[in-house]
CSV table of all heavy atoms in Angstrom, one decimal:
chain,number,residue,atom,x,y,z
A,626,ARG,N,4.3,-6.5,-11.7
A,626,ARG,CA,4.5,-5.1,-11.5
A,626,ARG,C,5.0,-4.4,-12.7
A,626,ARG,O,4.6,-3.3,-13.2
A,626,ARG,CB,5.4,-4.8,-10.3
A,626,ARG,CG,4.8,-5.1,-9.0
A,626,ARG,CD,3.7,-4.2,-8.6
A,626,ARG,NE,3.1,-4.4,-7.3
A,626,ARG,CZ,3.5,-3.8,-6.2
A,626,ARG,NH1,4.5,-3.0,-6.3
A,626,ARG,NH2,3.0,-4.0,-5.0
A,627,SER,N,6.1,-5.0,-13.3
A,627,SER,CA,6.7,-4.3,-14.5
A,627,SER,C,5.8,-4.3,-15.7
A,627,SER,O,5.9,-3.3,-16.4
A,627,SER,CB,8.0,-5.1,-14.8
A,627,SER,OG,7.7,-6.4,-15.3
A,628,LEU,N,4.9,-5.3,-15.8
A,628,LEU,CA,4.0,-5.3,-17.0
A,628,LEU,C,2.7,-4.7,-16.7
A,628,LEU,O,1.9,-4.5,-17.6
A,628,LEU,CB,3.8,-6.7,-17.5
A,628,LEU,CG,5.1,-7.4,-18.0
A,628,LEU,CD1,4.7,-8.9,-18.4
A,628,LEU,CD2,5.7,-6.7,-19.1
A,629,GLY,N,2.5,-4.3,-15.4
A,629,GLY,CA,1.2,-3.8,-15.0
A,629,GLY,C,0.0,-4.7,-15.2
A,629,GLY,O,-1.1,-4.4,-15.5
A,630,GLN,N,0.3,-6.0,-15.0
A,630,GLN,CA,-0.7,-7.1,-15.2
A,630,GLN,C,-0.9,-7.9,-14.0
A,630,GLN,O,-0.1,-8.8,-13.7
A,630,GLN,CB,-0.2,-8.0,-16.4
A,630,GLN,CG,-1.2,-9.0,-16.8
A,630,GLN,CD,-2.3,-8.5,-17.7
A,630,GLN,OE1,-2.6,-7.3,-17.6
A,630,GLN,NE2,-3.0,-9.3,-18.5
A,631,SER,N,-1.9,-7.6,-13.2
A,631,SER,CA,-2.1,-8.3,-11.9
A,631,SER,C,-3.4,-9.1,-12.1
A,631,SER,O,-4.4,-8.7,-12.6
A,631,SER,CB,-2.4,-7.2,-10.8
A,631,SER,OG,-2.6,-7.9,-9.6
A,632,THR,N,-3.3,-10.4,-11.7
A,632,THR,CA,-4.3,-11.4,-11.9
A,632,THR,C,-4.5,-12.1,-10.5
A,632,THR,O,-3.7,-12.0,-9.6
A,632,THR,CB,-4.1,-12.4,-13.0
A,632,THR,OG1,-2.9,-13.1,-12.7
A,632,THR,CG2,-3.9,-11.6,-14.3
A,633,ASP,N,-5.6,-12.9,-10.5
A,633,ASP,CA,-5.8,-13.7,-9.3
A,633,ASP,C,-4.6,-14.7,-9.2
A,633,ASP,O,-4.2,-15.0,-8.0
A,633,ASP,CB,-7.1,-14.5,-9.4
A,633,ASP,CG,-8.3,-13.6,-9.2
A,633,ASP,OD1,-8.2,-12.5,-8.6
A,633,ASP,OD2,-9.4,-13.9,-9.7
A,634,ALA,N,-4.2,-15.3,-10.3
A,634,ALA,CA,-3.1,-16.2,-10.3
A,634,ALA,C,-1.8,-15.6,-9.8
A,634,ALA,O,-1.1,-16.1,-8.9
A,634,ALA,CB,-2.9,-16.8,-11.7
A,635,SER,N,-1.5,-14.4,-10.3
A,635,SER,CA,-0.2,-13.7,-9.8
A,635,SER,C,-0.3,-13.4,-8.4
A,635,SER,O,0.7,-13.4,-7.6
A,635,SER,CB,0.0,-12.5,-10.7
A,635,SER,OG,-0.9,-11.5,-10.5
A,636,SER,N,-1.5,-13.0,-7.9
A,636,SER,CA,-1.7,-12.7,-6.5
A,636,SER,C,-1.3,-13.9,-5.6
A,636,SER,O,-0.7,-13.8,-4.5
A,636,SER,CB,-3.1,-12.2,-6.2
A,636,SER,OG,-3.3,-12.0,-4.8
A,637,HIS,N,-1.8,-15.1,-6.0
A,637,HIS,CA,-1.5,-16.3,-5.3
A,637,HIS,C,0.0,-16.6,-5.3
A,637,HIS,O,0.7,-16.9,-4.3
A,637,HIS,CB,-2.2,-17.5,-5.9
A,637,HIS,CG,-3.6,-17.6,-5.4
A,637,HIS,ND1,-4.6,-16.7,-5.8
A,637,HIS,CD2,-4.2,-18.5,-4.5
A,637,HIS,CE1,-5.8,-17.1,-5.2
A,637,HIS,NE2,-5.6,-18.1,-4.4
A,638,TYR,N,0.6,-16.5,-6.5
A,638,TYR,CA,2.0,-16.9,-6.7
A,638,TYR,C,2.9,-15.9,-5.9
A,638,TYR,O,4.0,-16.3,-5.5
A,638,TYR,CB,2.4,-16.9,-8.2
A,638,TYR,CG,2.1,-18.2,-8.8
A,638,TYR,CD1,1.2,-18.3,-9.9
A,638,TYR,CD2,2.7,-19.4,-8.4
A,638,TYR,CE1,0.9,-19.5,-10.5
A,638,TYR,CE2,2.3,-20.6,-9.0
A,638,TYR,CZ,1.5,-20.6,-10.1
A,638,TYR,OH,1.2,-21.8,-10.7
A,639,GLU,N,2.5,-14.6,-5.9
A,639,GLU,CA,3.4,-13.6,-5.2
A,639,GLU,C,3.5,-14.0,-3.7
A,639,GLU,O,4.5,-13.7,-3.1
A,639,GLU,CB,2.8,-12.2,-5.3
A,639,GLU,CG,2.9,-11.7,-6.7
A,639,GLU,CD,2.2,-10.3,-6.9
A,639,GLU,OE1,1.8,-9.8,-5.9
A,639,GLU,OE2,2.0,-9.9,-8.1
A,640,LYS,N,2.5,-14.6,-3.1
A,640,LYS,CA,2.6,-14.9,-1.7
A,640,LYS,C,3.3,-16.3,-1.5
A,640,LYS,O,3.9,-16.5,-0.5
A,640,LYS,CB,1.2,-15.0,-1.1
A,640,LYS,CG,0.5,-13.7,-0.9
A,640,LYS,CD,-0.8,-13.9,-0.2
A,640,LYS,CE,-1.5,-12.6,0.1
A,640,LYS,NZ,-2.0,-11.9,-1.1
A,641,GLY,N,3.3,-17.1,-2.6
A,641,GLY,CA,4.0,-18.4,-2.5
A,641,GLY,C,3.1,-19.6,-2.6
A,641,GLY,O,2.0,-19.6,-2.0
A,642,ILE,N,3.5,-20.5,-3.4
A,642,ILE,CA,2.8,-21.8,-3.5
A,642,ILE,C,3.7,-22.9,-3.1
A,642,ILE,O,4.9,-23.0,-3.6
A,642,ILE,CB,2.3,-22.0,-5.0
A,642,ILE,CG1,1.3,-20.9,-5.4
A,642,ILE,CG2,1.7,-23.4,-5.2
A,642,ILE,CD1,0.0,-20.9,-4.7
A,643,SER,N,3.2,-23.8,-2.3
A,643,SER,CA,4.1,-25.0,-1.9
A,643,SER,C,4.0,-26.1,-2.9
A,643,SER,O,3.0,-26.1,-3.7
A,643,SER,CB,3.6,-25.5,-0.5
A,643,SER,OG,2.3,-26.1,-0.6
A,644,GLU,N,5.0,-27.0,-2.9
A,644,GLU,CA,4.9,-28.1,-3.8
A,644,GLU,C,3.8,-29.1,-3.5
A,644,GLU,O,3.3,-29.7,-4.4
A,644,GLU,CB,6.3,-28.8,-3.9
A,644,GLU,CG,7.4,-27.9,-4.4
A,644,GLU,CD,8.6,-28.7,-4.9
A,644,GLU,OE1,8.5,-29.9,-5.1
A,644,GLU,OE2,9.7,-28.1,-5.0
A,645,TYR,N,3.5,-29.1,-2.2
A,645,TYR,CA,2.3,-30.0,-1.8
A,645,TYR,C,1.1,-29.5,-2.5
A,645,TYR,O,0.3,-30.3,-3.0
A,645,TYR,CB,2.2,-29.9,-0.3
A,645,TYR,CG,0.9,-30.5,0.2
A,645,TYR,CD1,0.8,-31.9,0.4
A,645,TYR,CD2,-0.2,-29.7,0.5
A,645,TYR,CE1,-0.4,-32.5,0.8
A,645,TYR,CE2,-1.4,-30.3,1.0
A,645,TYR,CZ,-1.5,-31.7,1.1
A,645,TYR,OH,-2.6,-32.2,1.6
A,646,THR,N,0.9,-28.1,-2.5
A,646,THR,CA,-0.3,-27.6,-3.1
A,646,THR,C,-0.3,-27.8,-4.6
A,646,THR,O,-1.4,-28.1,-5.2
A,646,THR,CB,-0.4,-26.1,-2.8
A,646,THR,OG1,-0.3,-25.8,-1.4
A,646,THR,CG2,-1.6,-25.4,-3.4
A,647,THR,N,0.9,-27.8,-5.2
A,647,THR,CA,1.0,-28.1,-6.6
A,647,THR,C,0.5,-29.5,-7.0
A,647,THR,O,-0.2,-29.7,-7.9
A,647,THR,CB,2.4,-27.9,-7.1
A,647,THR,OG1,2.8,-26.5,-6.8
A,647,THR,CG2,2.6,-28.2,-8.6
A,648,GLU,N,0.9,-30.4,-6.1
A,648,GLU,CA,0.5,-31.8,-6.4
A,648,GLU,C,-1.0,-32.0,-6.1
A,648,GLU,O,-1.7,-32.6,-6.9
A,648,GLU,CB,1.3,-32.8,-5.4
A,648,GLU,CG,2.8,-32.7,-5.6
A,648,GLU,CD,3.5,-33.4,-4.5
A,648,GLU,OE1,2.8,-34.0,-3.6
A,648,GLU,OE2,4.8,-33.4,-4.5
A,649,LEU,N,-1.5,-31.4,-5.0
A,649,LEU,CA,-2.9,-31.6,-4.6
A,649,LEU,C,-3.8,-30.9,-5.7
A,649,LEU,O,-4.8,-31.4,-6.0
A,649,LEU,CB,-3.1,-30.9,-3.2
A,649,LEU,CG,-4.5,-31.1,-2.6
A,649,LEU,CD1,-4.8,-32.6,-2.4
A,649,LEU,CD2,-4.7,-30.3,-1.4
A,650,GLY,N,-3.4,-29.7,-6.2
A,650,GLY,CA,-4.1,-29.0,-7.2
A,650,GLY,C,-4.3,-29.9,-8.4
A,650,GLY,O,-5.4,-29.9,-9.0
A,651,MET,N,-3.2,-30.5,-8.9
A,651,MET,CA,-3.3,-31.3,-10.1
A,651,MET,C,-4.3,-32.5,-9.9
A,651,MET,O,-5.1,-32.8,-10.7
A,651,MET,CB,-1.9,-31.8,-10.5
A,651,MET,CG,-2.0,-32.7,-11.7
A,651,MET,SD,-2.6,-32.0,-13.2
A,651,MET,CE,-1.1,-31.1,-13.8
A,652,ALA,N,-4.1,-33.2,-8.8
A,652,ALA,CA,-5.0,-34.3,-8.5
A,652,ALA,C,-6.4,-33.9,-8.4
A,652,ALA,O,-7.3,-34.6,-8.9
A,652,ALA,CB,-4.5,-35.0,-7.2
A,653,ARG,N,-6.7,-32.8,-7.8
A,653,ARG,CA,-8.1,-32.3,-7.7
A,653,ARG,C,-8.7,-32.0,-9.0
A,653,ARG,O,-9.8,-32.3,-9.3
A,653,ARG,CB,-8.1,-31.1,-6.7
A,653,ARG,CG,-9.5,-30.5,-6.5
A,653,ARG,CD,-10.5,-31.5,-5.9
A,653,ARG,NE,-11.7,-30.9,-5.5
A,653,ARG,CZ,-12.9,-31.5,-5.2
A,653,ARG,NH1,-12.9,-32.8,-5.4
A,653,ARG,NH2,-14.0,-30.9,-4.9
A,654,ALA,N,-7.9,-31.3,-9.9
A,654,ALA,CA,-8.4,-31.0,-11.2
A,654,ALA,C,-8.7,-32.2,-12.0
A,654,ALA,O,-9.7,-32.3,-12.7
A,654,ALA,CB,-7.3,-30.1,-11.9
A,655,LEU,N,-7.9,-33.2,-12.0
A,655,LEU,CA,-8.1,-34.5,-12.7
A,655,LEU,C,-9.3,-35.2,-12.2
A,655,LEU,O,-10.1,-35.8,-12.9
A,655,LEU,CB,-6.8,-35.3,-12.7
A,655,LEU,CG,-5.6,-34.7,-13.4
A,655,LEU,CD1,-4.4,-35.7,-13.2
A,655,LEU,CD2,-5.9,-34.5,-14.8
Side-chain angles (χ1 to χ4, degrees):
R626 288 292 183 91
S627 63
L628 298 180
Q630 186 77 336
S631 180
T632 62
D633 290 337
S635 67
S636 176
H637 278 71
Y638 277 118
E639 286 174 15
K640 290 185 176 71
I642 297 291
S643 69
E644 295 198 18
Y645 169 81
T646 304
T647 299
E648 298 168 7
L649 186 65
M651 176 62 81
R653 181 60 170 161
L655 296 176

